[in-house]
Amino acid sequence: MPPSIHPVDLIASLRQKHLTPAIVFLTSRRACDEAMESFNHADIVLPPVRQDAIAAALERVITQYPSVADHPLIPTVQRIGVAAHHAGHLPSWKIAIEELMRQGCLDAVFATTTLAAGVDFPARTVVITQSSIRKSRDFADLTIGEVQQIAGRAGRRGKDQVGFAVVTPSPYIDLGILTKGFTGHPESIDSQFIISYPMVLNLLKAHPHEQIQAILAKSFAQFQLNQRAELLERKLDTLHEQMEPFGPRVCTDWITQWQTFDQVRRQRPQRHQVRRHESPELSARFHFMTPGRVVGLARGRGIVLRQYRSKGQKNPMVSVLRLDGAVTECPASNVGDIFDRLFECDETPAFPWCSATAFDELSSQLTELPTRLPILPIMVPKDSEVLPDAIVQSLGDFPCPSCPSRPACQKDFATALRLRQEQQRHTKSIQALRASLWHRFQERIEVLQKFGYLTPSAHLTDEGEWARLIRIDHSLLITELIRAEAFSGADPALLTGVMASITHDNDRPGSFPRISSGMSSLLGQVRKLAESLSPYEDPPLLRADVAALAERWIADPALTWIGLCRSTTMAEGDIYRLLARTLEFLSQIHTLRATHPGLADTASRAIALIRRGVLEELP
Amino acid sequence: MTIEELEQLLAQQPVAVLHRLSRGRVHRHFRAGKLRLIELILQHSSQNLAGLESDLQALIAERQSHPQPPQPPARPAARATVSPPRRTAPRGGEPETTEAAVSLATWLEGIGVPPPQPFVPDPWQEEALAALNETDVVVSVPTGSGKTYVAVEAAKRAMEDNRTVIYTSPLKALSNTKYTEFSRIFGSDKVGILTGDRQENGQAPLLIMTTEILRNLLYDAASGEIDIRLDTLGLVILDESQYIADPERGVVWEETIIFCPSQAKLLLLSASIGNPQDIADWLTSIRPTACRLVRHSKRTVPLRAGYLHPNGKLVPLFKTAAIPSGHAGHLHPEAKRLFFEYEEETLPSGRPRR
């Protein structure tokens, strides 16, 4: 059996069942292009009437966007009525395909899922061939929301009575993910509040430092943090109730008193024994492996059901509920990630360590966890201090051995201590949740003060006043470059090249056009600066080949778009996007005309030079 | 039990049991065929055959106690070669599942173009528009339900009031599409576009931009460089606002909403998400009026899911014609059988066929 259906057969069977027009989502751009190639000798041609309709529709698009005219795919599109639509194409081509699709001229479009969100055309049928998509550099399973977004393109309002989502297997498919995606409830979304340098500068420009905390408190991030804090507060309330029987006894703080006494009692005979080695990191982490906590193990994830110490070696251990419903015992050192997600867990003293209903609930919650979970930040404390000898030796000074409440203390101590520790932990977590955004903001302020964009009283310096206008990625690198006068005397081509290599964050390989010596020395400087800034801002890829490409487009006004594309292996669409984004960066630099007239002038000349050919024709 | 006996016993089990047995033992076991799976399981447990055996017995016992499979899976060796999912196939004689499962003809029923009828807005669309007269609105509906209609109507009403409308989308390509579409509806003099590298008709009453540009406008307004348009701003439409969860750009949506002038109404259009109520509650907590959530999960055009086998055979994916919401396990027996067949025949890539 072939690993997946042949594109020609696919289209033939869709046509036979009247399931066209269809969008076929494939794993990669390459798969789309290969699918188009496979139609070269196919005989499932359209009747002449429809071929003429496509030709007429294309004609209308070409009058608006001439660059579509000599696209190599046009013959296939016209003959078979299928097309490819992915990020490697020019926007004009994509507009043309969308237009054809809207008019109902095409039978199928091969597209990549990466653009599923950006595709703004529906069809009668959506064909899905994969259950994972490429995200930055890795493949990740589709989330329920993504599956529904993809399947949602099926069924055109007013043109279809029913829409169809057809799954066809390929080596990249896990049917379970897709069926769950079709039938499931979409995931909750979480705030992703990143505090960037331009945000700090712009906020401080408009509002005094004291008001910022109130503004941050209005964010969705804080709203969600508050929700979690409230949950903890409710837990804290119940803990408080549980603590009631353990109030003051003979001594007010009997828990601490007993703790010290107990510790001393245990420590004394063992003074000279070798202490079992347990890394402080492990002890700190073990502290968080409480029942209900989601943890990541070498294979899959699980929920902690209980934590305990092994009988002989007293190694820290946890019982974990695994994805398949099994309960496994595992040393705490095997736990890889501790996630920031805690479920309610009704503990019981015997296997399976929680009540049956809680067990079922946890199992289902475990399977429904989103693929990405935030990891709990855990601070590793310094080695815990051993009690000073003086206290150990003075065991006789403790009143405990002869205290009337000794039996009660001894009995309740374990529970009381656990409750109190939990209380303290929750209180700390609540504080952290309430203040974390503000702390992150403060950190950014400190960096900006260090570089001289902010005064010690958190007002904008002259440098800060202009730096706040650069509101793009890698803003710190760009403003530092401007301050270091890296661009003084640079011609538009050089400036564009550097900006292009800063904007480009894609690591798809490209060929290496020759790079000018001026550009390579400037890029060397930029790279050095980016590295020195890396503690404060992630350095960009700074690829030399994209810099050379952009430089060439500016430096040689006679260069045609086709000539530019021939000089590299990058896809047309990628080159277009690179230049369009560079244009955006340059126009940000252009806003500095009040403080850096020379640079702004270079930028505006570069903008004028970029806008030609295909880049002028399009929005 | 010797390794041979164990192998034989494994061969008698349905593949589903083997897959359950493989969890935690075999990596990517869903890619392997039955024979390969047995080999891999044995290979993994060669040091712990007793453990494997007890797990297997437990699974067999569990299956026998379950009423689901009509026949106990442990069958004489003669039937072991029959691939078990085939038993659930229509001709295998399992009346209750085949009766329940929908036929291809029923599944395909209704295909085609509906008779032309005058456009009548859905109740949720009316509800969203009515609510927008008084307060901010969050709309969370499935893809393709007609969010654009709400955007267009809301923009039309605000513009009749001589108010400026800003419409933002996350992608430049979408902005451009909407610009063309809105220009067609409202006339090109009424619509302007501002993106990172394009400015056209910037004084028009309906402005289309990327969300980043709006955020920058709001920054400038906050620091005193007031843009006159913000004074008359009556409505801000944030399309695809599920982007608020985007790891890199999500923060821009939050900033835009926080700094959005209070006299302007906010309309958040989003695809189906799990917690739209949270978003609405958040808006209520920071905006002057209580936000209204309009939620709707039924698609305007019903959706059906199918399975197309590489040999060209098309079958419904689920037992019912419509997608059984919440029951991922209700697969069509025929689709299940074909997919198992596919999985058994395609070995993990790069490995030689046995």
Side-chain angles (χ1 to χ4, degrees):
Chain A
M1 192 189 301
S4 51
I5 192 165
H6 192 274
V8 176
D9 297 341
L10 173 66
I11 300 308
S13 37
L14 289 178
R15 272 192 196 159
Q16 188 218 335
K17 294 278 192 292
H18 305 288
L19 287 172
T20 53
I23 308 174
V24 183
F25 285 108
L26 297 174
T27 27
S28 59
R29 298 177 186 184
R30 206 174 145 172
C32 295
D33 295 338
E34 281 172 359
M36 286 305 284
E37 265 168 42
S38 66
F39 285 100
N40 280 348
H41 304 289
D43 52 359
I44 48 168
V45 287
L46 288 178
V49 193
R50 289 195 53 197
Q51 292 200 19
D52 293 344
I54 295 177
L58 272 175
E59 208 58 53
R60 281 194 294 277
V61 180
I62 289 170
T63 50
Q64 204 178 350
Y65 306 111
S67 66
V68 175
D70 32 47
H71 199 282
L73 285 178
I74 285 185
T76 316
V77 171
Q78 217 166 332
R79 209 163 60 86
I80 318 275
V82 295
H85 179 290
H86 58 69
H89 292 299
L90 278 180
S92 55
W93 173 253
K94 293 197 273 186
I95 290 174
I97 297 306
E98 284 164 28
E99 192 54 41
L100 286 178
M101 207 55 183
R102 216 166 281 134
Q103 296 180 11
C105 296
L106 293 182
D107 270 355
V109 169
F110 295 96
T112 53
T113 28
T114 9
L115 267 190
V119 176
D120 192 29
F121 56 82
R124 175 173 291 168
T125 308
V126 163
V127 179
I128 304 174
T129 60
Q130 71 207 85
S131 61
S132 52
I133 55 170
R134 201 177 125 106
K135 276 181 188 154
S136 62
R137 276 162 219 190
D138 218 357
F139 275 86
D141 285 345
L142 290 169
T143 63
I144 296 176
E146 281 162 347
V147 173
Q148 294 187 351
Q149 178 96 324
I150 293 171
R153 306 265 161 225
R156 298 157 298 176
R157 203 186 163 118
K159 287 191 199 166
D160 285 317
Q161 298 199 31
V162 207
F164 295 91
V166 173
V167 179
T168 182
S170 76
Y172 312 102
I173 207 156
D174 180 350
L175 198 59
I177 292 172
L178 292 177
T179 49
K180 216 167 162 191
F182 285 136
T183 54
H185 189 66
E187 290 88 354
S188 298
I189 57 172
D190 286 326
S191 165
Q192 307 280 347
F193 204 75
I194 306 169
I195 295 180
S196 61
Y197 294 113
M199 184 207 270
V200 175
L201 289 174
N202 281 295
L203 279 182
L204 285 173
K205 164 77 181 172
H207 309 274
H209 185 236
E210 311 84 70
Q211 283 179 18
I212 304 286
Q213 200 166 3
I215 293 173
L216 290 177
K218 286 168 81 178
S219 66
F220 187 48
Q222 190 60 55
F223 179 81
Q224 289 195 314
L225 290 175
N226 285 346
Q227 278 184 332
R228 285 163 56 188
E230 275 156 28
L231 205 76
L232 283 182
E233 270 163 8
R234 276 200 292 280
K235 267 190 195 160
L236 206 55
D237 287 344
T238 45
L239 277 177
H240 204 74
E241 272 166 36
Q242 286 172 331
M243 272 299 272
E244 249 160 39
F246 309 122
R249 296 189 175 165
V250 173
C251 9
T252 8
D253 191 6
W254 66 270
I255 303 177
T256 318
Q257 184 80 357
W258 183 271
Q259 192 179 16
T260 329
F261 170 67
D262 199 48
Q263 220 172 339
V264 168
R265 218 168 38 153
R266 280 168 206 275
Q267 244 178 44
R268 205 154 67 150
Q270 294 171 1
R271 270 271 110 161
H272 302 292
Q273 286 175 12
V274 184
R275 284 176 60 80
R276 190 165 40 78
H277 183 73
E278 189 177 294
S279 71
E281 197 196 344
L282 184 59
S283 349
R285 288 163 59 90
F286 189 50
H287 197 60
F288 286 91
M289 297 180 209
T290 45
R293 170 74 67 192
V294 181
V295 293
L297 297 155
R299 200 170 282 163
R301 288 190 290 215
I303 297 181
V304 175
L305 291 177
R306 66 159 180 167
Q307 54 160 261
Y308 62 103
R309 287 197 176 262
S310 65
K311 281 252 167 63
Q313 298 283 313
K314 298 276 179 231
N315 284 324
M317 300 280 290
V318 282
S319 305
V320 183
L321 168 67
R322 305 302 305 270
L323 259 177
D324 50 5
V327 178
T328 54
E329 313 298 322
C330 114
S333 53
N334 282 10
V335 173
D337 300 315
I338 300 181
F339 294 108
D340 195 0
R341 190 62 67 92
L342 199 60
F343 289 116
E344 252 348 293
C345 173
D346 190 10
E347 293 166 62
T348 57
F351 185 83
W353 317 116
C354 63
S355 63
T357 48
F359 190 83
D360 292 339
E361 204 162 292
L362 285 179
S363 311
S364 71
Q365 272 161 339
L366 185 58
T367 53
E368 278 157 19
L369 277 177
T371 43
R372 287 166 290 258
L373 276 179
I375 285 178
L376 195 68
I378 295 175
M379 295 251 291
V380 178
K382 302 268 180 327
D383 269 327
S384 64
E385 70 276 28
V386 179
L387 283 180
D389 278 348
I391 301 184
V392 178
Q393 294 311 324
S394 64
L395 186 56
D397 299 349
F398 279 95
C400 295
S402 55
C403 172
S405 95
R406 173 181 171 158
C409 288
Q410 189 159 11
K411 181 167 147 270
D412 295 340
F413 169 68
T415 334
L417 182 69
R418 191 177 55 82
L419 287 177
R420 197 175 70 169
Q421 277 174 351
E422 221 162 295
Q423 257 182 345
Q424 284 163 352
R425 208 174 58 221
H426 285 341
T427 322
K428 251 190 207 162
S429 308
I430 291 172
Q431 276 169 1
L433 287 174
R434 298 258 188 231
S436 67
L437 273 189
W438 176 238
H439 284 312
R440 271 155 58 195
F441 195 82
Q442 290 284 8
E443 276 167 24
R444 293 293 192 196
I445 289 187
E446 275 158 32
V447 173
L448 287 170
Q449 283 169 339
K450 186 167 140 40
F451 283 98
Y453 294 105
L454 288 175
T455 62
S457 58
H459 286 65
L460 268 65
T461 60
D462 291 345
E463 306 279 351
E465 284 288 346
W466 61 262
R468 83 185 165 84
L469 296 173
I470 304 291
R471 294 154 181 167
I472 35 187
D473 300 343
H474 308 295
S475 59
L476 190 61
L477 173 63
I478 293 171
T479 53
E480 282 298 294
L481 279 172
I482 295 174
R483 287 175 75 191
E485 304 206 326
F487 301 124
S488 66
D491 59 358
L494 219 50
L495 177 67
T496 313
V498 171
M499 283 300 144
S501 75
I502 292 177
T503 64
H504 196 70
D505 52 4
N506 194 327
D507 60 348
R508 267 173 205 278
S511 70
F512 217 88
R514 189 193 303 250
I515 183 166
S516 71
S517 61
M519 175 61 92
S520 85
S521 78
L522 185 54
L523 262 187
Q525 287 177 36
V526 176
R527 214 165 273 145
K528 214 177 278 168
L529 186 63
E531 254 158 54
S532 72
L533 291 177
S534 60
Y536 315 109
E537 190 177 71
D538 286 339
L541 287 176
L542 288 174
R543 283 171 50 167
D545 58 335
V546 297
L549 202 65
E551 185 190 19
R552 210 174 237 213
W553 181 245
I554 301 296
D556 181 4
L559 185 67
T560 60
W561 181 255
I562 307 226
L564 184 72
C565 294
R566 283 220 187 100
S567 65
T568 172
T569 52
M570 267 168 86
E572 256 187 320
D574 288 328
I575 305 176
Y576 176 86
R577 228 177 351 269
L578 168 73
L579 291 177
R581 245 174 93 71
T582 309
L583 208 57
E584 229 170 277
F585 274 42
L586 287 170
S587 51
Q588 293 256 312
I589 290 185
H590 181 63
T591 57
L592 302 183
R593 51 193 173 269
T595 48
H596 301 76
L599 183 65
D601 181 49
T602 317
S604 75
R605 271 190 294 150
I607 292 172
L609 283 168
I610 285 192
R611 279 188 196 279
R612 63 193 162 87
V614 172
L615 276 124
E616 193 184 31
E617 150 196 315
L618 276 166
Chain B
M1 215 185 268
T2 66
I3 192 155
E4 285 78 23
E5 281 171 341
L6 200 56
E7 192 173 349
Q8 222 168 10
L9 183 62
L10 283 172
Q12 290 166 13
Q13 304 310 317
V15 188
V17 169
L18 298 187
H19 279 295
R20 279 194 64 185
L21 207 56
S22 315
R23 287 181 197 162
R25 288 191 166 88
V26 180
H27 185 47
R28 289 170 65 81
H29 57 83
F30 60 87
R31 308 260 4 112
K34 185 170 181 181
L35 292 177
R36 176 78 183 147
L37 204 53
I38 295 175
E39 186 186 320
L40 287 170
I41 292 174
L42 288 173
Q43 202 178 326
H44 176 271
S45 307
S46 56
Q47 300 303 315
N48 185 16
L49 283 178
L52 177 66
E53 198 187 316
S54 70
D55 280 0
L56 179 59
Q57 300 291 6
L59 275 179
I60 292 174
E62 186 187 313
R63 267 183 93 81
Q64 272 163 347
S65 66
H66 258 281
Q68 208 85 48
Q71 298 147 324
R75 285 273 115 190
R79 295 204 48 183
T81 46
V82 179
S83 91
R86 205 161 287 165
R87 253 184 272 139
T88 55
R91 62 176 181 280
E94 205 184 66
E96 75 272 22
T97 41
T98 32
E99 262 176 23
V102 66
S103 71
L104 183 65
T106 334
W107 184 76
L108 283 170
E109 213 163 75
I111 195 168
V113 185
Q117 47 196 334
F119 176 81
V120 181
D122 289 347
W124 69 266
Q125 288 171 327
E126 296 279 18
E127 184 193 344
L129 286 169
L132 203 58
N133 286 334
E134 289 129 36
T135 171
D136 304 328
V137 175
V138 174
V139 173
S140 168
V141 292
T143 321
S145 308
K147 291 191 286 276
T148 310
Y149 169 79
V150 179
V152 169
E153 276 304 303
K156 196 183 281 171
R157 293 183 191 182
M159 282 155 74
E160 277 163 10
D161 270 5
N162 282 331
R163 296 244 153 221
T164 311
V165 179
I166 292 183
Y167 173 97
T168 81
S169 81
L171 301 167
K172 222 186 297 174
L174 283 180
S175 296
N176 287 325
T177 318
K178 287 289 183 237
Y179 178 55
T180 326
E181 191 179 335
F182 287 176
S183 301
R184 212 177 286 155
I185 298 170
F186 294 109
S188 53
D189 57 323
K190 289 277 173 59
V191 189
I193 185 166
L194 305 171
T195 59
D197 55 3
R198 181 186 192 191
Q199 286 218 2
E200 256 165 62
N201 212 357
Q203 298 302 321
L206 171 56
L207 287 173
I208 294 164
M209 50 183 87
T210 46
T211 315
E212 271 83 355
I213 301 289
L214 175 57
R215 193 263 318 255
N216 290 349
L217 279 182
L218 293 171
Y219 270 165
D220 291 340
S223 53
E225 299 141 41
I226 289 186
D227 198 308
I228 2 153
R229 283 167 296 188
L230 290 181
D231 283 347
T232 54
L233 188 60
L235 176 66
V236 174
I237 306 171
L238 301 178
D239 202 356
E240 308 286 342
S241 46
Q242 72 272 18
Y243 259 75
I244 200 168
D246 187 89
E248 277 150 30
R249 299 172 56 202
V251 62
V252 178
W253 272 255
E254 288 194 39
E255 286 177 274
T256 306
I257 292 170
I258 296 172
F259 296 122
C260 183
S262 54
Q263 93 275 359
K265 298 277 188 306
L266 266 174
L267 173 59
L268 268 64
L269 301 174
S270 140
S272 286
I273 53 170
N275 54 345
Q277 188 65 51
D278 280 358
I279 308 257
D281 287 347
W282 169 52
L283 281 179
T284 302
S285 74
I286 63 167
R287 303 273 305 169
T289 52
C291 171
R292 179 78 165 273
L293 170 66
V294 176
R295 197 175 179 176
H296 173 76
S297 57
K298 202 162 165 277
R299 288 171 44 96
T300 332
V301 180
L303 183 67
R304 294 177 191 167
Y307 173 81
L308 181 66
H309 204 54
N311 67 10
K313 190 168 161 56
L314 181 71
V315 291
L317 182 62
F318 293 107
K319 271 194 233 170
T320 47
I323 287 176
S325 178
H327 300 283
H330 286 191
L331 287 185
H332 195 279
E334 188 69 7
K336 212 165 162 181
R337 181 183 72 81
L338 286 172
F339 188 68
F340 267 117
E341 211 170 75
Y342 174 81
E343 294 243 290
E344 285 193 15
E345 285 190 31
T346 49
L347 288 170
S349 52
R351 292 223 181 90
R353 255 164 216 268
R354 238 176 94 111

